[in-house]
Amino acid sequence: ITTKQQRFAHALLKDAGCTKFLDKSKIYGLGMGTKTEVMADLQRRAEFEGRTLHFIEDRLKTLQAVIGKGPELGSWQLYLCDWGYNSPSDRNQALVEDRIAGVDLAEFCDLLQRPKKWTAQVMPKVGKGEGVTIGFGP
């Protein structure tokens, strides 16, 4: 789920070597609704009933807004990536949030290959790269 156009998000993922693990149809981009609207829609789908969904974001405020929605978005495990629009201070602040874990780009790509490895581990690493936000269920 991204505020970028779907094709730009796909290009960023392709550049990072992640597209062979993520179908373009599973990238929800600009014009498909707000992030929280798309998340709520996905959470209501029968195919995801009883499953934990995963949302990776590069803005702490966005993750805090998801938490603020309460049970409406309660099936989502939230991750603050260590690239994009956040700072070391944001990443440290995220560590105190029960629903937010950290992830770096290499771990993200690895987890796309092995979705059963998704956990709520906290990985407070500092890195640089392009900001990409993805939400999907393993």
Side-chain angles (χ1 to χ4, degrees):
I1 305 168
T2 179
T3 55
K4 294 169 181 56
Q5 290 183 7
Q6 183 186 46
R7 64 189 173 105
F8 293 127
H10 190 261
L12 288 169
L13 289 167
K14 183 177 180 180
D15 187 55
C18 297
T19 51
K20 69 179 181 179
F21 311 109
L22 184 62
D23 186 295
K24 190 174 184 177
S25 69
K26 295 190 188 299
I27 300 172
Y28 301 88
L30 185 65
M32 297 178 171
T34 67
K35 289 179 181 181
T36 55
E37 290 169 346
V38 172
M39 291 172 77
D41 177 59
L42 290 171
Q43 184 173 303
R44 286 189 295 269
R45 292 185 185 181
E47 66 195 280
F48 297 126
E49 186 174 332
R51 297 176 79 178
T52 299
L53 302 172
H54 302 272
F55 180 66
I56 299 164
E57 174 59 44
D58 63 351
R59 292 187 66 239
L60 179 59
K61 288 183 179 186
T62 301
L63 293 174
Q64 290 168 330
V66 171
I67 291 169
K69 293 284 185 177
E72 179 183 352
L73 297 176
S75 294
W76 290 86
Q77 171 59 51
L78 308 175
Y79 298 85
L80 182 66
C81 63
D82 71 352
W83 66 88
Y85 299 105
N86 64 60
S87 66
S89 174
D90 290 333
R91 292 187 287 279
N92 287 333
Q93 188 177 349
L95 293 176
V96 301
E97 298 279 356
D98 290 340
R99 287 189 58 199
I100 301 175
V103 66
D104 68 23
L105 187 58
E107 291 160 334
F108 171 70
C109 290
D110 183 53
L111 292 170
L112 286 176
Q113 295 177 63
R114 298 181 209 126
K116 292 182 190 282
K117 287 179 62 178
W118 281 105
T119 64
Q121 297 174 2
V122 175
M123 300 167 272
K125 300 175 184 171
V126 178
K128 295 182 180 180
E130 295 294 323
V132 179
T133 306
I134 306 296
F136 61 95

